[in-house]
Amino acid sequence: MNPKTRFSKFFKLAGYDQSSLDFLDIRIGVDIPVFLDPTLIKRMNSEWASECTSILQHFFDFLMQCVKDKNSSLGIRILSGLNERDEFHLGYSIGLSKGSGVSVGFATEIWESLSKSKAAETGILEDLEDTALFIHGISTDRISDAVCNILRAPLIKYTQDVCMFYGIPLEKVDAGQVWDLENNCWKNIITELPKTPYGKVILIPKSAVHKKISYQSDQYYRHYILTELQHEHILKRSPLTRVLKDGALRVDKTRLIEEYGFTKDSITHQTLGREQALDKYRNDRKTKALPISAEDLSNIHNEKFKDIQEKLNDVLATNTGNAHAKQYEDVIEKLLTPLFFDSLNYPTKQARINNGRKIIDLRYTNYAAHGFFQWVAEKFGAPYVTIECKNYTKDIENPEVDQMIGRFNRRTGLFGIIFCREIKNKKLILERCKDAAKSDQGYIIVLTDDDLKEIVKEKRVSTHYNGYDYLKRKFDEIIN
């Protein structure tokens, strides 16, 4: 089996490309040059992301306590647990995946850097990703590897859930070490995971990866610390200040680098006393971090980028009627994943029987940090978004709205979208949705083929646009 075979191809996921899959479609035997970014996880507003953030913070706080206590044996032991990651297939490895995890020798080196670092001593290290700014030997791939290992347990759960969603078989395997929150140690677990000729695989949400992690020491130093130093030198008109022809004062960053250096020790030294620059950097990274674009992923996979219009065309080409209901559900799902990629992820299916036909309810996790989906989650309670597909030849009626209401509860949310082909009596169905909203039964938007055309047109303006103004207008109709 070719090690460059994509996971989806190996498991015969027909009709799917990377844009219509929720997970990163790794190659089964070699790495792809993207990385798990903890900043992207932390910006997600979801239960899964909150669990991941809590585990990362717990691990890092315990490591910092070891540094404070000068407990080198324990510190090195927990750092050595970050040494397995072949099953993630991320990074720069050439040839078969072998990772750049933390060996015992490298764990000792990292411990030495941490324990001697002013950044650790003074408390400016708050999160794992801060080490990429201040600690020697820590870079994008090391942070990504560490995060993969620390989050092994929730990533295993994610893998199992998406395999159930896509119908991928699992096998019982030695899944490696997971971080034990209760006992502050690594423990080995046996569980079920997908397996290829190159070993077990742990999948990662594509919404959590990028070509590099958000925290980059050179970016931080050049654009935040050196900018602060420029202002300071201009204010005191230091010898590094020069006067331009128009009388403006200028301090060149190259001169500042010559003066202060450009090592992680110098970055730490110049941060102390200028913590406001670090706070601004952290806030900027959190608010500006975006998942990797569909185009970038296509380029990495060396595949032709399939515009979202093509997936809409598949929906429009599907015949109406019960005989084509399953096909309609499938093409809607393949459209929604890329359409709402920047706001919804982690799809799950729940089967139920209605009039003798098996119906699959689709539910997405609402992780939006901006735009319509963030607004509806905050104002109306929508940690998840429930989806129902009605491939009818006639208008949907009260029973279909009641079915959706029956899917709502306080834990999973009170917002759902019904997709159907067309509505002749729009006023009638709108009034039913308004009644549901007024009586606090839930909030339902009904979208037809024509509505999808408008949303896709809006989406194509930018791959990272998640305002979804059209959806906001549809929502306003049911609450006003």
Side-chain angles (χ1 to χ4, degrees):
M1 175 65 67
N2 188 336
K4 294 184 179 180
T5 300
R6 298 263 285 279
F7 183 87
S8 61
K9 183 177 181 181
F10 179 80
F11 284 104
K12 298 180 173 59
L13 301 186
Y16 285 97
D17 62 356
Q18 176 62 90
S19 68
S20 55
L21 292 167
D22 189 70
F23 60 86
L24 180 67
D25 195 12
I26 54 96
R27 299 174 187 134
I28 62 173
V30 297
D31 288 350
I32 58 174
V34 297
F35 302 92
L36 182 57
D37 186 355
T39 304
L40 287 174
I41 294 174
K42 291 178 181 180
R43 73 183 289 279
M44 296 179 186
N45 294 319
S46 70
E47 290 181 10
W48 182 83
S50 295
E51 178 192 2
C52 291
T53 299
S54 177
I55 293 171
L56 285 171
Q57 199 60 54
H58 179 275
F59 178 90
F60 186 73
D61 288 346
F62 184 71
L63 179 60
M64 287 298 98
Q65 188 61 48
C66 290
V67 172
K68 182 179 179 180
D69 296 342
K70 297 181 169 45
N71 192 339
S72 59
S73 60
L74 181 56
I76 292 170
R77 186 158 71 249
I78 66 170
L79 285 171
S80 297
L82 304 175
N83 63 355
E84 296 181 55
R85 50 132 276 169
D86 290 358
E87 54 267 39
F88 297 104
H89 299 284
L90 308 181
Y92 294 127
S93 292
I94 298 174
L96 295 180
S97 297
K98 54 184 178 233
S100 56
V102 178
S103 64
V104 175
F106 191 64
T108 302
E109 292 179 24
I110 294 175
W111 174 260
E112 290 296 319
S113 295
L114 270 174
S115 60
K116 295 176 181 177
S117 169
K118 279 285 183 185
E121 180 185 326
T122 56
I124 62 173
L125 289 180
E126 294 183 357
D127 302 292
L128 180 67
E129 53 267 44
D130 287 343
T131 61
L133 305 180
F134 304 113
I135 304 301
H136 292 291
I138 305 295
S139 56
T140 286
D141 55 343
R142 298 292 184 189
I143 292 291
S144 176
D145 291 345
V147 173
C148 284
N149 281 286
I150 297 166
L151 298 183
R152 183 179 293 265
L155 288 172
I156 286 173
K157 177 64 166 59
Y158 171 80
T159 301
Q160 292 168 338
D161 287 345
V162 297
C163 285
M164 180 179 295
F165 182 85
Y166 294 107
I168 297 168
L170 302 174
E171 298 181 36
K172 187 166 286 190
V173 296
D174 179 347
Q177 298 185 101
V178 300
W179 181 247
D180 185 339
L181 292 169
E182 293 185 5
N183 299 302
N184 295 319
C185 65
W186 297 101
K187 68 176 181 181
N188 211 70
I189 64 167
I190 305 295
T191 191
E192 292 186 327
L193 285 171
K195 195 173 180 183
T196 76
Y198 298 92
K200 60 183 178 284
V201 174
I202 298 177
L203 298 170
I204 292 173
K206 66 182 181 185
S207 51
V209 303
H210 213 286
K211 291 184 287 186
K212 59 183 180 180
I213 67 167
S214 297
Y215 279 44
Q216 300 291 321
S217 59
D218 57 341
Q219 177 192 63
Y220 167 63
Y221 194 49
R222 285 185 181 278
H223 301 300
Y224 291 79
I225 292 300
L226 292 184
T227 299
E228 286 284 324
L229 287 169
Q230 281 179 315
H231 294 324
E232 292 172 15
H233 279 266
I234 288 172
L235 283 175
K236 62 185 180 183
R237 299 180 75 96
S238 78
L240 296 182
T241 305
R242 61 189 179 91
V243 182
L244 302 179
K245 289 182 180 180
D246 62 359
L249 300 179
R250 178 183 176 89
V251 176
D252 294 326
K253 289 183 178 180
T254 53
R255 294 288 306 279
L256 291 172
I257 291 172
E258 291 171 2
E259 179 77 13
Y260 297 106
F262 201 166
T263 66
K264 290 197 173 180
D265 285 340
S266 60
I267 294 173
T268 300
H269 183 70
Q270 299 309 322
T271 296
L272 296 173
R274 301 180 182 88
E275 287 82 0
Q276 74 279 3
L278 179 58
D279 291 340
K280 185 176 188 307
Y281 181 78
R282 286 170 173 152
N283 185 64
D284 286 349
R285 299 284 70 72
K286 183 177 180 181
T287 57
K288 296 177 181 178
L290 292 170
I292 192 168
S293 70
E295 291 93 334
D296 282 342
L297 273 178
S298 291
N299 291 335
I300 288 168
H301 286 310
N302 196 27
E303 69 179 10
K304 178 182 176 292
F305 172 65
K306 294 183 179 179
D307 188 87
I308 198 170
Q309 182 66 44
E310 296 181 39
K311 301 183 189 308
L312 173 61
N313 292 342
D314 291 338
V315 173
L316 302 179
T318 302
N319 292 327
T320 57
N322 285 339
H324 306 282
K326 177 63 169 62
Q327 180 187 354
Y328 180 62
E329 291 169 356
D330 289 344
V331 292
I332 283 288
E333 181 242 312
K334 290 182 175 71
L335 170 64
L336 295 190
T337 296
L339 182 61
F340 299 140
F341 162 56
D342 46 15
S343 298
L344 307 181
N345 69 355
Y346 210 148
T348 58
K349 292 176 181 176
Q350 186 170 357
R352 58 188 172 85
I353 303 298
N354 184 44
N355 293 328
R357 192 175 77 83
K358 184 177 181 182
I359 296 178
I360 301 297
D361 293 324
L362 184 61
R363 180 176 291 153
Y364 284 89
T365 295
N366 182 0
Y367 78 93
H370 306 284
F372 168 75
F373 286 102
Q374 186 273 335
W375 173 80
V376 79
E378 184 178 288
K379 299 292 185 181
F380 299 95
Y384 300 87
V385 178
T386 299
I387 305 294
E388 289 196 3
C389 302
K390 306 298 181 184
N391 195 40
Y392 294 174
T393 56
K394 61 179 183 177
D395 282 8
I396 63 169
E397 298 177 346
N398 283 354
E400 285 72 43
V401 175
D402 291 338
Q403 284 174 10
M404 175 64 86
I405 292 171
R407 311 305 298 163
F408 294 155
N409 60 65
R410 292 294 172 182
R411 190 189 75 81
T412 59
L414 302 174
F415 175 56
I417 304 175
I418 299 175
F419 288 91
C420 62
R421 309 312 299 272
E422 66 175 344
I423 298 175
K424 294 183 175 67
N425 193 340
K426 295 181 180 179
K427 183 178 179 181
L428 182 63
I429 196 65
L430 178 60
E431 288 303 315
R432 180 64 186 94
C433 293
K434 281 186 172 184
D435 290 343
K438 288 176 183 177
S439 59
D440 293 325
Q441 293 177 296
Y443 303 89
I444 301 168
I445 293 176
V446 179
L447 298 178
T448 65
D449 286 359
D450 287 340
D451 293 318
L452 276 174
K453 292 175 186 177
E454 293 301 317
I455 297 168
V456 167
K457 183 192 299 183
E458 180 183 74
K459 176 70 173 179
R460 293 179 74 197
V461 174
S462 170
T463 55
H464 283 310
Y465 176 75
N466 64 2
Y468 301 113
D469 294 338
Y470 189 87
L471 284 178
K472 178 63 164 59
R473 292 194 295 272
K474 295 291 288 186
F475 194 92
D476 286 344
E477 289 178 358
I478 66 172
I479 61 174
N480 294 328

